[in-house]
Amino acid sequence: MTFTKTATAALALFAVAGAALAANPMVGGAPMLEERNIVENAVNSADHTTLVAAVQAAGLVETLQSDGPFTVFAPVNAAFEALPAGTVETLLMPENKGMLTKVLTAHVVAGDWSSADIARMARASADGFYHFNAVSGDALSAQARGQNLYIYDESGNAGRITISDVKQSNGVIHVVDIVLVPK
C-alpha cells in the first residue's frame, strides 16, 4: 500500500514537473528556462545569434538582465538577413552605437505582456489595433488576425509573432520574423 501511494505521489510530481517544463517553448533548438533572464536564455538560441551580438555591441546586456519586467519582440537571424545588404554590419560599427541602440530598444516594451493580453487589447480597440510605445519611444501596433498576432513598426512593416509567451525571470519574449525599424 505504501509503495502504491509513493508511486502515485511520484507520478503526480513528475506530471507537474513535466507540465512546468512544457510550459515554455523551445527557441532556436534550446530550452528557455523561466528562472533565467532574457539574456541568459537568448544566448542559447541558435536563431538569435545576430540579436545577441547586437545587444552586446549596443551595451544593453546589463539592462536586459535587470529586474524589468520587459516584453521583448526578438527578431530571428533570418529577419536580420532580410535587411538590405550591409545594414547589420553598419549598425554594428562602434560609431553607430546610438542607432543600434534605438533599433534594439524599438523591440522592447516595459511590462510583462502576454500574447493573449496584446491580442485582447487589439480586438477591443475601435480600429483593430493595440497602439503602444517601445522603450525607445517609438510607436508600435499589434493586430490579431485569426490565431496570428502581428506587430507593426512605425513604417507599417508587420512582423508575425512565430513563438509567443516565452517566459523569463524578468519578463517575456515573443519571437518575431522581422526587424522592427524605427523612423
Side-chain angles (χ1 to χ4, degrees):
M1 188 77 159
T2 304
F3 176 74
T4 305
K5 287 181 183 177
T6 304
T8 303
L11 287 174
L13 182 59
F14 180 74
V16 169
L21 290 175
N24 239 4
M26 299 266 291
V27 176
M32 299 287 113
L33 305 176
E34 288 186 49
E35 63 271 9
R36 291 185 182 165
N37 65 48
I38 291 165
V39 174
E40 290 169 334
N41 273 321
V43 298
N44 293 317
S45 169
D47 292 342
H48 291 91
T49 56
T50 305
L51 178 61
V52 169
V55 166
Q56 291 169 336
L60 294 173
V61 170
E62 189 174 309
T63 300
L64 291 175
Q65 288 180 322
S66 69
D67 290 341
F70 304 107
T71 298
V72 176
F73 300 103
V76 293
N77 293 339
F80 285 99
E81 293 165 8
L83 293 171
T87 301
V88 173
E89 294 77 10
T90 300
L91 285 171
L92 291 175
M93 292 177 175
E95 62 268 23
N96 295 325
K97 184 177 177 180
M99 176 62 81
L100 177 61
T101 299
K102 181 154 176 69
V103 168
L104 293 174
T105 57
H107 293 79
V108 180
V109 177
D112 190 342
W113 290 88
S114 73
S115 61
D117 292 338
I118 297 168
R120 185 174 34 260
M121 298 293 284
R123 287 188 176 107
S125 71
D127 66 355
F129 288 88
Y130 173 54
H131 303 283
F132 54 105
N133 288 322
V135 297
S136 64
D138 296 288
L140 297 174
S141 299
Q143 181 186 41
R145 290 192 236 152
Q147 297 299 317
N148 293 313
L149 188 58
Y150 292 84
I151 304 299
Y152 290 78
D153 63 21
E154 289 182 324
S155 299
N157 301 310
R160 185 172 65 89
I161 293 179
T162 58
I163 302 174
S164 61
D165 302 317
V166 185
K167 296 176 179 96
Q168 315 291 302
S169 65
N170 61 344
V172 63
I173 290 175
H174 303 291
V175 177
V176 293
D177 62 1
I178 69 162
V179 175
L180 303 169
V181 181
K183 283 190 176 180

